Amino acid sequence: MVHNAYDSFQLLTNCPARIDAVESHNSKLFAGCYDGSLRIYSPQSPSSSSSDELRQDSYLLETTVTGFAKKPIVAMKVLASRELLLSLSESIAFHKLPNLETVAVITKAKGANAYSWDDRRGFLCFSRQKRVCVFKHDGGGGFVEVRDYGVPDTVKSISWCGENICLGIRKEYVILNTANGTLSEVFPSGRVRLLRSPYPLIQTIVLQNIRHLVKSNNAVMVGLDNSVHALFPVSIGAQIVQLTASGNFEEALALCKLLPSEESSLRAAKESSIHTRFAHYLFENGSYEEAMEHFLASQVDITHVLSMYPSITLPKTTMIPPPDKMLDISGEEASLSRGSSGFSDDMESSFLESEGNAALESKKMSHNTLMALIKYLQKKRPSIIEKATSEGTEEVISDAVGKTYGAYDSSKTKKSNKGRGTISLNSGAREMAAILDTALLQALLHTGQSGASVELLKGVNYCDVKICEEILMKSKSYSALLELFKSNSMHHEALKLLNQLSEESKSNQSQTDVKQIFSPELIIEYLKPLCRTDPMLVLEYSMLVLESCPTQTIDLFLSGNISADLVNSYLKQHAPNMQGRYLELMMAMNETAVSGNLQNEMVQIYLSEVLDLHAALSAQQKWDDKDHPPERKKLLSALENISGYNPQTLLKRLPRDALYEERAVILGKMNQHELALSIYVHKLHAPDLALAYCDRIYESVSFLPSGKPSSNIYLTLLQIYLNPKKSAKDFAKRIVALGSFESSDTTKMMESVLSSKVKGGRSKKIVAIEGAEDMLRAGLSSSTDSGRSDVDAEEPMEEGNSTVMISEVLDLLSQRWERINGAQALKLLPRETKLQNLLPFLAPLLRNSSEAHRNYSVIKSLRQSENLQVKEELYKHRKGVVQVTSDSMCSLCNKKIGASVFAVYPNGKTLVHFVCFKDSQGMKAVSKTSQGRRR
C-alpha cells in the first residue's frame, strides 16, 4: 500500500436476504434483495444537521417493502433531479421518492438485462436480447419510445456516450449511432490498447463476494451477499501528508495540483514543503542537480541550501534566519491525516526530526555538488540582484530627499560603494545578494572556473570584500581579485597589487602565467577610466610605470586630458628624474599642447644636466668647451628649436668661462646677433658656425610678413671680421652687462642696428624678371653714390690694421655675394684690399647687376610698347560717330534721350542716359558683393 486514498467502512451486515442491488438517497441506504423486497436503512446515530450524504456510521433497518418486485432486483438508480427511483427486475419501473409510489413501468423492457440513464436529456436506453431500445421521459409520469435498434448479439453492458450509445458485445466495444443505427468498433476488450501510461496501484481493499460497486454522492458503495461497505475518500490534504511521509514526493506534488483554487495559500505552502523534503532526499542520494531544481521550486531561502555546504564562508548579516526547520504540515489537513489515515503524532514528529538532522548534516565539497550549487545560485541570482539594485536606488533617492529637506535618520547606516562588506541595517535584499554572490564566487573557484569568477566580478555584484579578498589571495586568483577591488572602487589596493605582480614578473619570482599576464601596461589600462574622476590617483600610480612605459604613460595623460602643468608639477615633486623625459615626449607627441612655461621648464632641466656635467668635469680638469656630449647636444637642439623658454633667465645661469655655444644661441633668441656672432668668431673661432648662424637669421627673416630679407646680418659679421679688437672689447663689456640686466642704451642701439633695412627697396614685381630692377638699384653704385647703410655710423676701420680677418672677409663675400649689399660691403672694406681678391665677389655681382639692368630695359621697352597700343586703341574709339535724334531712346529706361547727357556702349549703337548707366553699374557692384558674401 502506497497510501490510503479511501477508508473502508461497513455500513450494514447480516441482511436476511441476499443483496443484489444497492443505492443511496440522501443519508439512507436502499438494498434490493433476491426475494424482490426493498429494504431501507438509516444511520444509527442521529445527525445534528440535515445531511444528504452517507455517513461513516452503522446503519439500521428502517423499512422493508415486501413485494417491491416480483423477481430479484437486478439494479437500482436514484434519479435525484426528478425524485425517482429506477429499478430493473422483470421489467424497468420508476417509483416516486420518498414514498415509492409506482410512476411508470416500461413493459417493453421485460427481460432487459442492462440499462443506462441520460439525466440531462431524460433518455433511457436498455438492451433486451439482440435489441436496443430508447425511451424518453415526457416530464410527467410517462415515457415515450424513441427508437428501437437491432444489434448482432446480446448486449452485456450499455452506457450513453454523448448522443450515441456505447455497447459491450461479445469481446469488443462498439458505438451505436442513434441517428442512423450504424455500429463502429472502438477497440476489442480482449487486447486493450493503452491510450496513456497506466496509473500505479494506489491502494488495495480486501473484500470477498463483491456483487456491486455503486458510486454515491460522497462514497463508493460495495454490495456483498449480506452486507454493504462504503469507501469514503480521504481528503487530498491528508493524502499529501501520507505521500510525503512515505517519500512519494512526486505523487504528493501531483495531488497538490488538485487542491481547490480557494486554498491557493495552503497549496503553495504544501508544495514548498514537499519540494524542500524532496530536494533533501535527492541531495542525500546523489541527485544534486535535481535536488537544486526542487530547492528552486520550493522558494526556500538560499541560506537553507548553503547550510549544506559548510566549507563555504558566508558574510555575517543582520538577517540570518534561525536554524532551518522543515516546513510542517499543520491545520485541518494534518488532523485529517492523523484521524483518517492512521498516522500517529509520534511517527510524523520522528520523521520531521530525522529530516531536519539530515538537512544540517555536513557534506563533502565534491565537484558535482558544487556544480549543482552554481546552477542553483545562477538561477536565483537575477531576481535577487534586481531587488538589491532597486533597493539601492530607492536609498539613494531617499538620501537625496533627506538632504534636500534636512531630514536625516541617524539610526540608519549608509552603504558606500567601497564597502560592500558594510551593509546597511535595513538592506535585506542587498544582504541576500551579498550572501549569494559570495557563495557563488567560492563555488566557481572551487570548481576551477576562474574565468567565470572574473566575469561575475566585472558586472554588478555584492560579494563580501573581506571574505572574497582572503579567498582569492589564497587561491592566487589575481585577475578576479583585481576585479573585486575595481568593482568596490578600491583602486589603491588594486594598483598596489598590480604593481606587486608586475615586479614579481620582472624578477621571475612568480609563476610563468603571472609573468605573461601582469605587465606594467595593465596599470596604465587600469588608470585610463580614472583620469577624469581621480587625476591625482592616476598621477600617483603612473609614477610606477613612467620609466618602463614612458610613451604609453604620456599617452595616458594626454588621452585623459590631465593638465600638463599638473603632471609636470607632480613629477617635479615626486619624480624629478622623469620630468625631462615627460616633457620630451610631450614635445614629440604634441608640441602645441606644451605651454611656454613647460618649454622653459624643459630647457632649464637640460641646462641643469649640462651644468652638473660641467661642474663634474671641471673638478677633474677634463672639461673642453669644444666637446659635445649627449647632454650638450640635447640642450643645444632645444635652445635652437624651442621658442617658449625665457632666454634672460637661462643666460644668468651660464658660467662666464664656458658654454659659449649655448650662450651664442641664447643671445640670438634675444636678438643680440652681434654678440652671438662675436662668440662664434672670437670665443669659438668657428667662422662656419658664424656663417650658418647668419644663414638661419636671414632665412627666418625672409619668411616674415614684413617684406624682403635684410642683408644686415652679413654686414654685421663682416664688421666683426674687419675690426676684431673693437668687437671683442664691446663683447666683453656688453656680455657683463647682460649678466645682470642690459642697459637701455645698449638695448636701443642693438635694436636700431638689427631692425634697420637696406635702402633701395622696391614694390611688387610685374613679371618674373622684374626683380632685376631691385637688384640694379641696390647693386654696386659709383663712388659718388650718396646712399649710406646703417653701418656707416660705426667708427671708421683702421687701415693697415694687421688684425683684420681678411681671409674670412673674402670667404664671406664670395660665398654669400647674392645676400650682401655690394655698395655697403665695399665701403666697409679696407682701402688696401686688392681687387684681384674681390673677383669671386664682384664677378657674379656684376653679372647679376648687368642681367638685372638688361631685364629692366626690356621691361621698360615693353611698357612703352603697351602704352602706345593703349593710346592707339583709345584714339580708334574716339573716332566713332553717334547720331542722336529726337526719337533716340534709352535702352535702360526706354525714355527719349533728348538733351540729357548720354553714354554709348562699345558697340557704338546702344544709347543710355548717363544717369541710368551709373545706376546700373551701382546695381552690378552691389550684386557682386552679395554673391561674394554668400560664397
Side-chain angles (χ1 to χ4, degrees):
M1 182 187 71
V2 178
H3 74 284
N4 286 353
Y6 288 89
D7 283 338
S8 176
F9 190 86
Q10 188 175 37
L11 300 180
L12 63 93
T13 185
N14 298 324
C15 180
R18 190 184 74 187
I19 300 173
D20 287 340
V22 292
E23 181 62 296
S24 66
H25 177 58
N26 295 333
S27 62
K28 294 183 178 183
L29 178 65
F30 292 171
C33 299
Y34 179 78
D35 59 3
S37 63
L38 176 67
R39 286 175 167 78
I40 302 175
Y41 293 86
S42 300
Q44 180 179 359
S45 302
S47 176
S48 58
S49 61
S50 59
S51 174
D52 295 337
E53 298 179 343
L54 290 176
R55 297 199 303 230
Q56 295 188 34
D57 196 1
S58 297
Y59 275 69
L60 300 177
L61 180 63
E62 179 183 292
T63 305
T64 301
V65 182
T66 305
F68 182 78
K70 294 180 180 180
K71 291 186 177 182
I73 302 173
V74 178
M76 290 187 298
K77 183 173 182 62
V78 172
L79 310 180
S81 62
R82 302 171 190 269
E83 295 184 349
L84 295 175
L85 173 63
L86 185 158
S87 61
L88 172 61
S89 181
E90 62 179 348
S91 181
I92 295 178
F94 291 87
H95 297 81
K96 188 70 174 176
L97 293 174
N99 298 326
L100 299 177
E101 302 170 357
T102 302
V103 175
V105 176
I106 301 176
T107 58
K108 193 174 180 178
K110 186 175 182 180
N113 63 325
Y115 70 88
S116 180
W117 170 258
D118 184 352
D119 192 66
R120 182 178 61 85
R121 297 184 299 164
F123 273 51
L124 171 70
C125 66
F126 59 87
S127 62
R128 182 173 58 86
Q129 297 178 355
K130 295 182 180 181
R131 308 293 298 177
V132 173
C133 300
V134 178
F135 281 76
K136 180 180 180 182
H137 186 216
D138 61 4
F143 283 81
V144 179
E145 184 176 358
V146 177
R147 195 163 180 177
D148 188 350
Y149 304 93
V151 292
D153 204 344
T154 303
V155 176
K156 296 181 179 180
S157 61
I158 186 170
S159 177
W160 281 103
C161 184
E163 295 183 356
N164 298 323
I165 303 172
C166 181
L167 304 174
I169 301 176
R170 298 190 188 101
K171 292 183 179 182
E172 61 184 9
Y173 287 97
V174 295
I175 295 294
L176 173 64
N177 190 320
T178 57
N180 52 28
T182 59
L183 295 173
S184 57
E185 182 181 351
V186 179
F187 54 80
S189 62
R191 53 184 193 278
V192 178
R193 298 173 187 173
L194 299 180
L195 303 182
R196 56 183 175 178
S197 300
Y199 291 102
L201 177 64
I202 300 299
Q203 182 181 0
T204 301
I205 299 175
V206 181
L207 294 172
Q208 295 180 353
N209 301 323
I210 296 175
R211 303 184 63 85
H212 298 282
L213 284 175
V214 180
K215 178 184 177 182
S216 70
N217 51 5
N218 69 321
V220 176
M221 293 183 296
V222 183
L224 280 68
D225 287 342
N226 301 99
S227 62
V228 177
H229 290 253
L231 304 180
F232 291 96
V234 178
S235 67
I236 294 177
Q239 293 185 56
I240 292 171
V241 173
Q242 296 176 45
L243 290 170
T244 306
S246 61
N248 294 284
F249 302 105
E250 292 180 331
E251 290 82 354
L253 289 172
L255 283 182
C256 284
K257 300 186 183 301
L258 301 179
L259 287 171
S261 57
E262 56 269 16
E263 298 180 4
S264 58
S265 59
L266 175 63
R267 172 180 170 178
K270 285 182 176 295
E271 287 182 337
S272 177
S273 173
I274 296 169
H275 278 298
T276 304
R277 294 169 184 260
F278 196 11
H280 278 281
Y281 172 80
L282 292 170
F283 191 88
E284 291 182 6
N285 288 276
S287 300
Y288 304 116
E289 292 195 11
E290 289 184 56
M292 293 304 162
E293 290 297 329
H294 285 282
F295 277 129
L296 279 172
S298 70
Q299 298 296 320
V300 71
D301 194 276
I302 61 173
T303 55
H304 179 100
V305 179
L306 292 172
S307 66
M308 298 187 296
Y309 294 84
S311 297
I312 290 182
T313 307
L314 300 181
K316 295 180 180 179
T317 65
T318 59
M319 54 175 295
I320 291 292
D324 293 315
K325 296 179 180 178
M326 296 295 99
L327 297 176
D328 198 358
I329 301 177
S330 59
E332 180 183 357
E333 313 292 353
S335 64
L336 285 172
S337 162
R338 290 187 287 270
S340 60
S341 62
F343 275 62
S344 66
D345 290 343
D346 295 337
M347 292 175 64
E348 188 170 11
S349 61
S350 63
F351 169 77
L352 293 175
E353 184 178 356
S354 63
E355 281 287 336
N357 293 335
L360 297 175
E361 186 178 338
S362 298
K363 296 292 181 181
K364 294 182 180 180
M365 300 285 283
S366 69
H367 183 272
N368 291 339
T369 58
L370 289 171
M371 290 300 297
L373 177 64
I374 289 171
K375 292 180 180 179
Y376 166 77
L377 294 176
Q378 288 175 338
K379 291 178 180 179
K380 293 283 290 184
R381 191 171 188 271
S383 59
I384 293 178
I385 294 298
E386 183 180 358
K387 290 179 182 179
T389 305
S390 175
E391 191 176 80
T393 304
E394 292 176 0
E395 183 176 296
V396 170
I397 296 174
S398 176
D399 290 347
V401 173
K403 289 179 181 179
T404 304
Y405 296 98
Y408 292 92
D409 183 4
S410 59
S411 64
K412 181 178 179 181
T413 62
K414 299 294 186 289
K415 174 178 179 284
S416 66
N417 288 334
K418 294 185 178 180
R420 293 194 192 273
T422 306
I423 307 174
S424 64
L425 293 177
N426 298 327
S427 178
R430 278 178 287 173
E431 286 193 350
M432 192 60 64
I435 294 172
L436 189 150
D437 280 350
T438 304
L440 178 57
L441 180 65
Q442 294 177 68
L444 291 171
L445 291 173
H446 286 311
T447 54
Q449 302 183 61
S450 57
S453 63
V454 172
E455 292 301 318
L456 170 67
L457 293 167
K458 280 185 177 180
V460 176
N461 69 88
Y462 291 83
C463 291
D464 185 273
V465 177
K466 184 177 180 181
I467 295 174
C468 295
E469 178 182 359
E470 182 179 350
I471 294 171
L472 291 170
M473 187 65 75
K474 187 179 298 183
S475 63
K476 297 184 179 180
S477 301
Y478 298 120
S479 296
L481 182 56
L482 288 171
E483 291 299 334
L484 175 69
F485 289 149
K486 188 175 183 180
S487 63
N488 289 276
S489 299
M490 299 171 64
H491 303 304
H492 284 281
E493 291 80 358
L495 290 165
K496 288 178 182 177
L497 177 61
L498 269 175
N499 183 55
Q500 176 187 342
L501 295 172
S502 177
E503 293 298 325
E504 290 178 358
S505 299
K506 290 179 183 178
S507 59
N508 295 326
Q509 294 177 355
S510 60
Q511 296 179 359
T512 305
D513 56 342
V514 175
K515 183 178 180 180
Q516 294 175 350
I517 296 175
F518 299 102
S519 60
E521 286 79 3
L522 285 180
I523 297 179
I524 297 175
E525 290 298 321
Y526 190 98
L527 291 173
K528 282 182 179 179
L530 303 176
C531 289
R532 298 182 183 274
T533 58
D534 198 346
M536 295 308 297
L537 177 70
V538 174
L539 289 174
E540 178 182 352
Y541 285 95
S542 63
M543 299 301 103
L544 303 174
V545 293
L546 181 59
E547 187 171 356
S548 58
C549 304
T551 305
Q552 295 94 320
T553 308
I554 304 305
D555 186 58
L556 168 69
F557 297 149
L558 292 176
S559 61
N561 291 327
I562 300 179
S563 169
D565 290 317
L566 177 62
V567 176
N568 179 68
S569 176
Y570 194 90
L571 289 174
K572 189 174 184 179
Q573 183 177 359
H574 297 90
N577 58 321
M578 294 302 299
Q579 185 184 7
R581 178 66 172 153
Y582 163 70
L583 295 173
E584 285 177 4
L585 290 171
M586 283 288 292
M587 288 289 294
M589 297 171 67
N590 189 3
E591 185 175 354
T592 58
V594 182
S595 63
N597 290 335
L598 294 182
Q599 293 181 21
N600 185 69
E601 189 88 20
M602 184 174 72
V603 177
Q604 292 282 1
I605 293 171
Y606 289 168
L607 179 57
S608 297
E609 294 176 355
V610 173
L611 291 176
D612 293 341
L613 179 64
H614 171 261
L617 293 178
S618 297
Q620 301 173 12
Q621 296 183 352
K622 294 181 180 180
W623 175 260
D624 187 350
D625 214 50
K626 294 181 180 180
D627 292 340
H628 288 77
E631 292 83 357
R632 284 196 71 187
K633 289 181 180 179
K634 189 165 58 174
L635 175 60
L636 287 169
S637 177
L639 291 173
E640 292 175 357
N641 299 319
I642 296 176
S643 59
Y645 60 86
N646 187 341
Q648 288 88 350
T649 306
L650 294 175
L651 193 62
K652 294 177 181 178
R653 297 185 60 192
L654 294 178
R656 295 186 179 183
D657 57 348
L659 304 180
Y660 292 112
E661 190 171 351
E662 287 81 352
R663 189 186 301 274
V665 177
I666 294 173
L667 289 171
K669 292 291 182 178
M670 298 169 63
N671 290 329
Q672 301 291 339
H673 303 303
E674 184 178 359
L675 294 177
L677 290 172
S678 296
I679 291 175
Y680 285 122
V681 174
H682 299 304
K683 295 295 183 182
L684 298 175
H685 306 291
D688 54 336
L689 294 180
L691 181 60
Y693 178 88
C694 292
D695 291 339
R696 288 198 303 272
I697 300 300
Y698 180 88
E699 291 167 1
S700 64
V701 174
S702 65
F703 289 105
L704 295 177
S706 58
K708 293 183 291 186
S710 171
S711 62
N712 282 343
I713 188 65
Y714 294 101
L715 295 177
T716 302
L717 178 58
L718 190 63
Q719 286 180 316
I720 293 173
Y721 286 153
L722 292 173
N723 202 348
K725 284 187 176 181
K726 179 179 179 299
S727 62
K729 280 183 186 178
D730 291 343
F731 170 77
K733 294 177 181 178
R734 292 170 63 184
I735 203 66
V736 171
L738 284 174
S740 54
F741 282 100
E742 53 185 322
S743 64
S744 59
D745 294 337
T746 305
T747 303
K748 290 179 180 179
M749 180 189 72
M750 293 303 299
E751 288 178 352
S752 65
V753 171
L754 295 172
S755 62
S756 61
K757 295 182 179 179
V758 178
K759 295 182 180 180
R762 278 291 184 181
S763 59
K764 296 180 180 179
K765 300 177 182 178
I766 298 176
V767 292
I769 61 174
E770 241 178 303
E773 181 181 355
D774 298 332
M775 299 182 67
L776 177 64
R777 295 192 178 183
L780 184 60
S781 60
S782 63
S783 60
T784 59
D785 190 349
S786 59
R788 293 175 59 99
S789 69
D790 294 328
V791 297
D792 292 343
E794 298 290 338
E795 295 182 4
M797 300 297 104
E798 296 181 6
E799 296 183 11
N801 191 347
S802 61
T803 59
V804 172
M805 304 170 68
I806 193 64
S807 61
E808 286 80 1
V809 170
L810 296 176
D811 289 341
L812 175 61
L813 293 175
S814 62
Q815 293 175 13
R816 297 293 182 268
W817 60 268
E818 76 281 5
R819 297 183 177 184
I820 299 176
N821 189 299
Q824 294 182 1
L826 290 174
K827 288 181 181 180
L828 294 176
L829 291 176
R831 294 181 180 179
E832 63 272 14
T833 304
K834 295 180 180 180
L835 187 60
Q836 180 68 28
N837 296 335
L838 294 176
L839 282 178
F841 167 64
L842 294 175
L845 184 61
L846 290 174
R847 282 195 302 272
N848 190 61
S849 178
S850 175
E851 183 179 353
H853 178 74
R854 185 167 57 253
N855 290 340
Y856 176 73
S857 300
V858 172
I859 293 171
K860 183 176 180 182
S861 299
L862 290 173
R863 284 180 175 176
Q864 289 178 351
S865 175
E866 183 182 8
N867 188 28
L868 291 174
Q869 290 177 2
V870 172
K871 287 182 179 181
E872 182 179 357
E873 188 72 20
L874 178 61
Y875 177 74
K876 180 180 177 182
H877 283 289
R878 284 180 175 177
K879 286 176 64 177
V881 178
V882 178
Q883 184 178 2
V884 181
T885 65
S886 59
D887 296 329
S888 298
M889 304 290 289
C890 175
S891 299
L892 295 176
C893 67
N894 296 322
K895 294 181 180 180
K896 291 184 178 181
I897 298 294
S900 303
V901 179
F902 64 91
V904 184
Y905 279 92
N907 60 9
K909 298 179 180 180
T910 304
L911 300 176
V912 294
H913 289 112
F914 184 72
V915 176
C916 295
F917 173 74
K918 289 182 65 177
D919 292 343
S920 66
Q921 294 299 314
M923 292 176 63
K924 288 181 181 179
V926 172
S927 176
K928 289 181 179 180
T929 303
S930 62
Q931 289 178 1
R933 289 177 179 174
R934 288 174 186 172
R935 291 176 185 173

